[in-house]
């Protein structure tokens, strides 16, 4: 059940509510409530890729659409993303908090940098990546990795920012 929640995925949740709910009985019984409008696009040029996706799953609860844009550089070493929450036409935006979560594999060691502006990710192969975010407060929190039928302790990067009411 917990793995169905939006907060269990590397995406945005609002007030830790899910963007959809499932009918009793699991995925085979379908979604009871969820996004109705889910456009996406992908573009590639000279080895670089851009992906954009949007959904209106938070429209009924808080009056917002969620859009994520991702860019991957030609050599695969430059990954950038942008999450945007925008008012759903004709709906009132309710005050709340948005959480962008990025769940890490248990083998990735994460630490806040001394300046507090980024998070260092040390990979098992010795490579180091740096995670930076703007527009919200960034923190490291405990998480659970569920893979290959087993649960393991892990970490997650969480960016929180207020959703302003109209």
């Amino acid at each position: 059940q917990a793995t169905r929640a939006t907060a269990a995925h590397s995406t945005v949740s609002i007030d830790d509510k899910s963007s959809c709910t499932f009918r009793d009985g699991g995925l085979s019984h379908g979604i009871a409530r969820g996004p109705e409008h889910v456009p996406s696009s992908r573009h590639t040029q000279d080895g670089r890729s851009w992906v954009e996706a949007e959904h209106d799953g938070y429209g009924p609860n808080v009056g917002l659409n969620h859009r994520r844009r991702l860019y991957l550089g030609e050599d695969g070493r430059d990954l950038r993303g942008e999450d945007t929450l925008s008012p759903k036409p004709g709906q009132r935006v309710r005050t709340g908090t948005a959480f962008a979560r990025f769940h890490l594999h248990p083998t990735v060691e994460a630490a806040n940098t001394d300046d507090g502006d980024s998070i260092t990710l040390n990979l098992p192969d010795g490579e180091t990546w740096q995670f930076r975010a703007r527009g919200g407060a960034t923190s490291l929190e405990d998480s659970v990795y569920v893979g290959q039928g087993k649960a393991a302790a892990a970490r997650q990067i969480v960016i929180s920012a207020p959703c302003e009411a109209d």
Side-chain angles (χ1 to χ4, degrees), residues 76-98:
R77 299 179 59 81
D78 183 8
L79 174 63
R80 302 174 193 202
E82 176 184 78
D83 285 297
T84 306
L85 296 169
S86 58
K88 184 172 179 175
Q91 289 203 252
R92 182 178 172 274
V93 175
R94 293 167 190 83
T95 303
T97 303

Side-chain angles (χ1 to χ4, degrees), residues 53-75:
E54 183 176 343
H55 75 82
D56 62 355
Y58 291 112
N61 292 333
V62 291
L64 293 169
N65 289 334
H66 172 223
R67 179 179 72 171
R68 175 167 280 178
R69 295 171 30 166
L70 297 172
Y71 165 83
L72 182 62
E74 181 179 5
D75 65 0

